[in-house]
Amino acid sequence: MDDSMRKRLEVTLERVKQLEEELSRDDVASDLAHFTKISKERADLDGAYTAYKEYLKLEQTVSDSIEIENSGDPELAELAKEERKESLARMEELEGELKTLLLPKDPNDDKNIIVEVRGAVGGDEANIFAGDLVRMYSKYAEKQGWKIQLLDASLGASGGYSNISFMIKGDSVYSKLKFESGAHRVQRVPKTEASGRIHTSTATVLVMPEAQEVDVQINPNDLKIDTYHSQGAGGQNVNKTESAVRITHIPTGIVAACQTEKAQLQNKEIAMQMIRAKVFAFFQEQEDKKRADERKLKVGTGERSEKIRTYNYPQNRVTDHRIGYTINQLDRIMEGDLDDLLNALIHYDQEQRLLNQGGGEDA
């Protein structure tokens, strides 16, 4: 292990000691906000702390085994040699784990998310596929114990959604689903196809971390707020009052709308949630573009036009084009069994960040 890595880990050990001392104090325990903050920091450091403590114990084992080998007892020396071999192998594994654990954490990883799914190329079939993707994410969220809140939806004429927005709330939601942004392509025979010909359609997904007022400052004077009658499938009026709300952020042209609630005030609150997330994501993307070299190493840019994945129904196959990952279990994927696919994306991202770090980027 190199000196710089060891120094960072020693700092981690010291920080954990400080946090545990703080957590044991009565005045800290009585301050819920502060207690929650430092408890989370302690939990975040636990992986590196535990792995490094094991590494240090193994270092001591290796040192002790060398002394035993030099003791002159052939039987003990052979046992010590075997133990040292096992310890060194485990230390090598731990060093790899620790490099990953020391990577800078995405500050948005613990946040809830707002997801937008739109039917894109393919007319009715694209809207139906958008609905299939929403069901897939809903099934996955259910398996994770997360909660889903519908924010806005426009139904497709033949099923699915032309546009839908929803929030997913739970533990570290963004960390799991942040690489889902982009164009998702489906290849299958549509229900509306009489000749049995395979069609290719697309739906776009946009995943945004939930943004609080402290995350992004929005001047009320920069907002244009319109109210209108909520619409049902096919555009029919389903509400006699102007309860639906559309908010436009004038400097960026970003628009958010909500018509899911009966009360205008509730729709306005939801639309504000959405506009904060969209504006936050917009400025974050601008910042990312300034770091073009790093951006090339990321799993994806998150732009809607970027084709990230193909769902091939005839061959029961899903391919993620960004990392060359293919799995012949489309039926399971569409039932929300996304762990293997998402973990492959996360591991690829970590590998690329380690590569970038090895190229000289500060950790």
Side-chain angles (χ1 to χ4, degrees), residues 1-15 52 56 102:
M1 181 182 292
D2 62 52
D3 288 342
S4 62
M5 185 175 176
R6 191 180 291 273
K7 285 178 183 176
R8 292 179 64 194
L9 289 164
E10 289 295 334
V11 169
T12 298
L13 291 188
E14 185 59 33
R15 182 56 181 158
Y52 186 49
L56 292 175
L102 288 174

Side-chain angles (χ1 to χ4, degrees), residues 7-58:
K7 285 178 183 176
R8 292 179 64 194
L9 289 164
E10 289 295 334
V11 169
T12 298
L13 291 188
E14 185 59 33
R15 182 56 181 158
V16 168
K17 181 181 176 182
Q18 293 172 355
L19 290 169
E20 289 180 341
E21 288 175 356
E22 271 197 80
L23 288 166
S24 66
R25 284 168 28 199
D26 292 338
D27 61 319
V28 172
S30 62
D31 184 345
L32 183 59
H34 184 55
F35 183 81
T36 301
K37 180 181 177 182
I38 61 176
S39 294
K40 183 181 179 305
E41 184 182 353
R42 172 64 183 87
D44 288 343
L45 294 174
D46 191 61
Y49 172 80
T50 302
Y52 186 49
K53 292 286 279 187
E54 182 184 351
Y55 186 93
L56 292 175
K57 285 181 181 178
L58 290 168

Side-chain angles (χ1 to χ4, degrees), residues 194-320:
S195 64
R197 186 168 57 90
I198 294 173
H199 286 229
T200 298
S201 305
T202 59
T204 61
V205 176
L206 180 62
V207 175
M208 301 167 285
E210 182 185 16
Q212 306 296 335
E213 291 185 36
V214 294
D215 296 320
V216 56
Q217 298 296 320
I218 296 179
N219 187 335
N221 294 327
D222 288 339
L223 299 178
K224 178 174 179 274
I225 301 175
D226 299 306
T227 59
Y228 57 98
H229 297 295
S230 58
Q231 304 289 311
Q236 71 268 31
N237 188 302
V238 296
N239 197 322
K240 293 182 179 179
T241 62
E242 291 192 347
S243 59
V245 175
R246 182 188 300 108
I247 300 178
T248 304
H249 183 247
I250 298 169
T252 60
I254 290 170
V255 178
C258 182
Q259 58 178 351
T260 56
E261 304 298 326
K262 292 182 179 179
Q264 186 185 109
L265 183 60
Q266 290 174 301
N267 283 327
K268 183 180 178 182
E269 288 175 357
I270 292 171
M272 275 304 301
Q273 272 186 310
M274 294 165 67
I275 207 78
R276 274 198 300 270
K278 288 186 172 189
V279 171
F280 180 67
F282 174 84
F283 286 117
Q284 190 172 51
E285 185 179 349
Q286 298 303 304
E287 189 64 30
D288 282 346
K289 283 180 178 176
K290 293 178 184 177
R291 304 175 65 183
D293 291 339
E294 177 192 354
R295 194 172 175 82
K296 289 174 187 174
L297 292 173
K298 289 188 177 180
V299 173
T301 63
E303 294 175 359
R304 284 190 188 273
S305 59
E306 180 189 10
K307 183 185 71 179
I308 65 168
R309 194 176 299 149
T310 295
Y311 302 73
N312 185 299
Y313 275 73
Q315 298 180 26
N316 196 38
R317 186 181 68 221
V318 176
T319 300
D320 194 288

Side-chain angles (χ1 to χ4, degrees), residues 183-201:
H184 296 240
R185 182 174 69 172
V186 64
Q187 295 174 328
R188 65 185 178 188
V189 179
K191 295 176 183 177
T192 55
E193 172 60 51
S195 64
R197 186 168 57 90
I198 294 173
H199 286 229
T200 298
S201 305

Side-chain angles (χ1 to χ4, degrees), residues 65-83:
S65 70
I66 293 172
E67 290 185 21
I68 293 171
E69 269 195 82
N70 296 330
S71 67
D73 186 322
E75 189 174 343
L76 284 177
E78 187 60 32
L79 288 172
K81 184 178 180 181
E82 185 61 31
E83 185 175 31

Side-chain angles (χ1 to χ4, degrees), residues 303-347:
E303 294 175 359
R304 284 190 188 273
S305 59
E306 180 189 10
K307 183 185 71 179
I308 65 168
R309 194 176 299 149
T310 295
Y311 302 73
N312 185 299
Y313 275 73
Q315 298 180 26
N316 196 38
R317 186 181 68 221
V318 176
T319 300
D320 194 288
H321 305 289
R322 297 165 294 181
I323 61 175
Y325 179 89
T326 296
I327 184 169
N328 291 98
Q329 296 177 350
L330 181 144
D331 51 341
R332 287 181 50 200
I333 294 288
M334 299 312 292
E335 288 299 316
D337 291 337
L338 297 176
D339 282 328
D340 289 347
L341 177 56
L342 298 180
N343 287 336
L345 288 161
I346 290 168
H347 291 156

